[in-house]
């Protein structure tokens, strides 16, 4: 019986773990309201000849690499005054039901093909992860929760508070909504308040101590609005967006005293190579917005990084910088499964407890009760493979996998009633690094986060798990789930039995909360770092040692802003776009 429950919990938890991804549908872009979005193969061939000085018939004032959370608002803003080329390696998110509707959130990682909207990767720590590969970036595959950064964070990074307070509302007016709070989320709120995570701050975007309801990018009908919708604010005469445009590297003129970015080399959906160039103006720039994984990878592929690592991969060294790819961090998350005796309404993250001990508490519910989600086969990242990861390799036979798939399909969906309390560590001290595995940009790099390497991170996880178990044992939860009060050991054993990562398990060691944290660590997809200020970029995010190259995304952060970073990363795109325009045109830029 215990084994059956463990298997059921594993399936439920695994399906939840991969809810931040989606499959990409192919469409003709003329169907949509953005005429400036085109396939990469439409790029004019006249730009395909290299010029060390840039320029040419199809030169641009700005080339933004990466049409994601920061890249879309950045490109839209810059296009108000200058010509912009936005290059996105994925396709469009529009008309993709798994991206667009919250009810399909739990099955969005079913597609692990090369055309999927998400690209899975496994860190060397053994933690399963995903990165976006679609116009709109992580806003297309995340849980939709919207909350601003703290005032401390804004001050720490040196941003102009007035400009920040103009940039957040620009995003919010277009794609952010107030959620209809689910009953499960109210129970989470009440139990947090009973535990002293107070006061209750109601509905707010602000990052303040206590318990609150946050915003969402899902509207009242459960439809997702993404950063791609922010392109509606662009000047369509000055913006060109190419999808399925996989940038291979940045091109440099190295004839002067400092390398100067002049263009990019990219591949279209048919595998043909193209080159796009900047105009001759010294104020023109290439801006990398490829995300915390993609941007350091792109710098390395372009010849900027540790000399020995570049030479090992036979990459021509443009600039030696030993800090590229270093200081990679991810906010470790652990989750407690809460079983129900009745169906529960699906809900993504709506409630958050912001504690003073450096732990955030969130929750989700009801995403394992769909017949489609339970019976879905997830390919190499499937529940079948996860379950078998605890067996020696020689025992992972095709017959064993097929037998597990059959058992999975026979499980009634009623067995998956329940939800999760999620505990995330704020500002982890533990960091790691990113290194190239190959020179193919489509291959994931090797990423190490070193979860819980620092004892302070581990202690905060222990504190958070203790809080989560008390929540499960509270009267609020028992009344809602209609389940009897459970012991701490039973709660932890149910969760530790779920194979949510590839870390070796200690299923009978619930006496050690430290071991539980290590065994059950997962990601909440809030990785950052690799291109830190003062080491890879300056305070304006211009890459040190080269001209006309800048970075605008979370790779420059040494902490993830707020409880969820998407609000601040989108705001950052708008903010930096305005700042670049003001620096170039003066405060009277009029945008």
């Amino acid at each position: 019986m215990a084994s059956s429950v463990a298997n059921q919990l594993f399936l439920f938890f695994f399906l939840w773990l991969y809810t931040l991804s989606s499959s990409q549908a192919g469409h003709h872009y003329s169907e949509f309201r953005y005429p400036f979005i085109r396939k990469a193969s439409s790029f004019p061939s006249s730009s395909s000849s290299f010029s060390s000085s840039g320029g040419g018939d199809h030169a641009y004032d700005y080339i933004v690499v990466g049409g994601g959370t920061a890249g879309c608002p950045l490109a839209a803003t810059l296009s108000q005054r200058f010509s912009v080329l936005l290059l996105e390696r994925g396709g469009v998110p529009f008309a993709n039901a798994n991206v667009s509707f919250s009810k399909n959130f739990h099955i969005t990682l079913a597609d692990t093909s090369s055309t999927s909207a998400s690209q899975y990767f496994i860190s060397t720590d053994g933690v399963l992860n995903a990165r976006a590969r679609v116009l709109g970036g992580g806003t297309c595959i995340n849980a939709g929760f919207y909350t601003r950064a703290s005032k401390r964070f804004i001050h720490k990074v040196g941003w102009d508070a007035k400009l920040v307070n103009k940039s957040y509302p620009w995003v919010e007016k277009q794609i952010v909504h107030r959620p209809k709070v689910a009953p499960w989320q109210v129970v989470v709120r009440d139990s947090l308040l009973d535990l002293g995570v107070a006061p209750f701050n109601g509905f707010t975007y602000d990052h303040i101590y206590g318990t609150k309801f946050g915003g969402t990018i899902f509207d009242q009908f459960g439809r997702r609005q993404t950063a791609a919708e922010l392109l509606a604010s662009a000047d369509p005469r000055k913006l060109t967006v190419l999808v399925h445009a996989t940038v291979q590297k940045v091109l440099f003129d190295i004839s002067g005293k400092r390398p100067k970015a002049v263009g990019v080399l990219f591949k279209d959906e048919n595998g043909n190579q193209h080159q796009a160039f900047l105009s001759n103006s010294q104020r023109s720039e290439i801006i990398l917005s490829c995300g915390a994984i993609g941007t350091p990878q792109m710098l390395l592929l372009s010849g900027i990084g540790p000399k020995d690592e570049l030479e090992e991969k036979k990459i021509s060294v443009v600039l030696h910088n030993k800090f590229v790819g270093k200081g990679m961090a991810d906010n470790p998350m652990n989750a407690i499964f809460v079983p129900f005796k009745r169906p529960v309404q699906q809900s993504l993250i709506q409630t958050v407890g912001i504690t003073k001990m450096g732990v955030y508490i969130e929750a989700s519910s009801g995403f394992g009760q769909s017949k489609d989600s339970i019976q879905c086969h997830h390919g190499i990242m499937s529940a079948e493979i996860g379950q078998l990861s605890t067996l020696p390799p020689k025992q992972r036979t095709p017959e064993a996998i097929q037998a597990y798939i059959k058992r999975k399909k026979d499980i009634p969906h009623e067995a998956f009633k329940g939800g999760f309390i999620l505990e995330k560590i704020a500002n982890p001290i533990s960091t790691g690094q990113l290194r190239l595995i190959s020179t193919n940009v489509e291959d994931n790099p090797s990423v190490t986060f070193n979860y819980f390497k620092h004892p302070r991170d581990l202690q905060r996880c222990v504190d958070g798990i203790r809080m989560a178990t008390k929540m499960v044992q509270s009267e609020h939860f028992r009344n809602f789930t209609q389940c009897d009060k459970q012991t701490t050991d039973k709660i932890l054993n149910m969760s530790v039995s779920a194979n949510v990562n590839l870390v070796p398990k200690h299923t009978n060691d619930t006496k050690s909360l430290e071991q539980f944290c290590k065994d059950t660590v997962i990601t909440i997809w809030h990785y950052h770092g690799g291109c830190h200020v003062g080491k890879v970029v300056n305070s304006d995010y211009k890459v040190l040692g080269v001209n006309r190259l800048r970075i605008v995304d979370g790779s420059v952060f040494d902490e993830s802003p707020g409880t969820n970073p998407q609000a601040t990363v989108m705001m950052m795109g708008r903010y930096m776009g305005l700042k670049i325009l003001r620096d170039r045109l003066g405060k009277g830029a009029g945008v």
Side-chain angles (χ1 to χ4, degrees):
M1 179 66 180
S3 176
S4 175
V5 171
N7 285 344
Q8 294 170 9
L9 293 178
F10 153 62
L11 288 171
F12 188 178
F13 207 161
F14 191 94
L15 291 166
W16 180 90
L17 174 65
Y18 282 111
T19 53
L20 296 187
S21 173
S22 62
S23 57
Q24 169 197 302
H27 295 279
H28 298 292
Y29 309 117
S30 59
E31 295 177 8
F32 307 108
R33 64 182 181 275
Y34 305 113
F36 45 76
I37 299 177
R38 305 168 189 167
K39 291 183 179 181
S41 58
S42 70
F43 194 69
S45 58
S46 57
S47 287
S48 297
S49 58
F50 179 75
S51 168
S52 63
S53 61
D57 294 336
H58 298 278
Y60 298 88
D61 296 306
Y62 295 96
I63 298 175
V64 179
V65 181
T69 309
C72 285
L74 173 65
T77 302
L78 292 174
S79 75
Q80 294 298 313
R81 291 293 181 272
F82 295 98
S83 63
V84 179
L85 176 64
L86 176 61
L87 300 171
E88 166 54 44
R89 67 185 183 131
V92 294
F94 317 114
N96 182 338
N98 285 346
V99 168
S100 299
F101 297 104
S102 61
K103 67 180 181 180
N104 294 336
F105 178 75
H106 53 308
I107 57 172
T108 53
L109 207 89
D111 181 8
T112 57
S113 70
S114 60
T115 59
S116 173
S118 88
Q119 180 177 359
Y120 74 86
F121 69 95
I122 306 173
S123 72
T124 64
D125 316 276
V127 172
L128 312 172
N129 217 313
R131 49 192 291 220
R133 182 170 50 196
V134 61
L135 188 67
T139 64
C140 297
I141 63 173
N142 65 16
F145 193 62
Y146 183 96
T147 178
R148 297 181 178 186
S150 65
K151 292 181 179 179
R152 177 196 60 80
F153 179 89
I154 302 301
H155 177 75
K156 176 184 175 182
V157 297
W159 288 341
D160 179 339
K162 289 184 178 180
L163 191 57
V164 166
N165 290 331
K166 290 182 179 180
S167 300
Y168 273 125
W170 181 85
V171 174
E172 290 154 8
K173 289 176 182 177
Q174 297 184 74
I175 65 169
V176 185
H177 308 273
R178 181 169 182 163
K180 182 179 180 181
V181 179
W184 160 260
Q185 300 289 334
V186 174
V187 174
V188 173
R189 176 200 65 185
D190 293 343
S191 64
L192 282 168
L193 292 174
D194 277 1
L195 288 175
V197 187
F200 176 54
N201 295 306
F203 170 78
T204 179
Y205 296 144
D206 293 336
H207 184 92
I208 42 182
Y209 288 120
T211 297
K212 72 168 190 174
F213 297 135
T216 179
I217 59 173
F218 288 102
D219 68 14
Q220 61 180 323
F221 304 107
R223 296 175 304 198
R224 182 195 295 270
Q225 274 76 55
T226 76
E229 268 80 21
L230 299 176
L231 293 172
S233 296
D235 184 336
R237 299 166 298 176
K238 293 187 174 68
L239 176 62
T240 299
V241 178
L242 298 182
V243 292
H244 303 299
T246 304
V247 175
Q248 312 291 297
K249 63 179 179 178
V250 177
L251 303 173
F252 293 94
D253 175 4
I254 58 174
S255 61
K257 291 183 179 180
R258 286 164 58 101
K260 178 176 69 173
V262 296
V264 295
L265 174 69
F266 69 92
K267 184 171 63 174
D268 66 25
E269 71 275 12
N270 298 320
N272 297 319
Q273 299 279 4
H274 302 267
Q275 292 177 340
F277 295 101
L278 291 173
S279 69
N280 287 319
S281 171
Q282 289 303 311
R283 304 298 293 271
S284 295
E285 292 180 328
I286 291 170
I287 305 176
L288 301 182
S289 294
C290 310
I293 305 299
T295 289
Q297 179 188 23
M298 184 59 60
L299 284 181
L300 293 168
L301 291 172
S302 302
I304 299 177
K307 183 179 179 180
D308 56 342
E309 293 182 29
L310 297 176
E311 291 178 340
E312 178 187 336
K313 292 292 183 291
K314 295 180 172 52
I315 298 172
S316 297
V317 179
V318 173
L319 180 73
H320 168 66
N321 186 324
K322 65 181 181 180
F323 297 111
V324 175
K326 304 303 187 291
M328 295 294 300
D330 186 20
N331 297 78
M333 185 173 76
N334 297 78
I336 297 295
F337 174 70
V338 184
F340 287 47
K341 284 191 175 179
R342 56 175 178 157
V344 59
Q345 177 184 340
Q346 290 183 344
S347 69
L348 296 171
I349 297 167
Q350 297 176 332
T351 306
V352 61
I354 301 173
T355 74
K356 293 185 177 180
M357 61 185 180
V359 171
Y360 304 139
I361 303 293
E362 300 172 345
S364 69
S365 64
F367 282 88
Q369 289 161 225
S370 162
K371 180 179 179 181
D372 291 337
S373 70
I374 293 169
Q375 297 186 5
C376 183
H377 179 56
H378 295 272
I380 194 169
M381 298 302 292
S382 68
E384 293 80 16
I385 301 300
Q387 178 70 16
L388 292 167
S389 68
T390 58
L391 298 176
K394 291 183 179 179
Q395 296 181 31
R396 300 177 205 169
T397 63
E399 292 77 15
I401 293 174
Q402 291 304 314
Y404 191 85
I405 292 172
K406 184 178 185 304
R407 291 197 301 273
K408 179 181 179 182
K409 289 184 176 180
D410 292 339
I411 296 175
H413 67 81
E414 290 82 3
F416 289 81
K417 297 171 187 172
F420 291 94
I421 301 175
L422 316 173
E423 172 268 337
K424 166 190 168 181
I425 303 302
N427 311 332
I429 304 170
S430 309
T431 61
Q433 65 178 3
L434 176 151
R435 297 173 61 97
L436 294 179
I437 293 178
S438 77
T439 56
N440 183 352
V441 69
E442 297 182 60
D443 292 341
N444 288 310
S446 169
V447 186
T448 303
F449 293 117
N450 287 324
Y451 298 102
F452 301 130
K453 184 176 182 180
H454 195 283
R456 174 66 183 135
D457 293 341
L458 189 57
Q459 182 56 51
R460 284 186 290 167
C461 177
V462 169
D463 294 340
I465 292 300
R466 284 181 176 144
M467 178 178 289
T469 54
K470 288 179 181 178
M471 291 173 67
V472 177
Q473 294 167 332
S474 73
E475 184 178 353
H476 297 291
F477 271 78
R478 296 202 311 276
N479 289 341
F480 188 77
T481 64
Q482 300 179 355
C483 292
D484 296 333
K485 186 175 181 178
Q486 302 175 49
T487 66
T488 298
D489 282 359
K490 184 176 180 181
I491 294 169
L492 297 181
N493 268 324
M494 282 194 298
S495 297
V496 80
S497 298
N499 289 297
V500 296
N501 57 38
L502 303 183
V503 177
K505 301 293 182 292
H506 300 75
T507 53
N508 296 317
D509 192 11
T510 56
K511 301 297 183 184
S512 168
L513 288 180
E514 290 84 358
Q515 192 62 54
F516 176 87
C517 286
K518 293 178 181 178
D519 283 355
T520 62
V521 62
I522 55 179
T523 181
I524 196 168
W525 300 272
H526 295 171
Y527 33 80
H528 50 280
C531 299
H532 285 147
V533 175
K535 295 180 178 179
V536 178
V537 297
N538 66 13
S539 59
D540 288 324
Y541 308 130
K542 293 181 179 180
V543 177
L544 298 170
V546 300
N547 293 332
R548 305 207 303 178
L549 183 62
R550 196 189 300 247
I551 295 172
V552 178
D553 61 28
S555 67
V556 303
F557 296 155
D558 61 8
E559 68 175 272
S560 181
T563 57
N564 299 75
Q566 74 163 341
T568 302
V569 177
M570 283 190 284
M571 182 280 294
M572 180 192 194
R574 173 64 173 176
Y575 174 94
M576 287 305 300
L578 291 175
K579 189 174 187 304
I580 290 169
L581 291 181
R582 290 184 179 188
D583 290 346
R584 188 164 180 176
L585 301 174
K587 290 191 175 180
V591 176

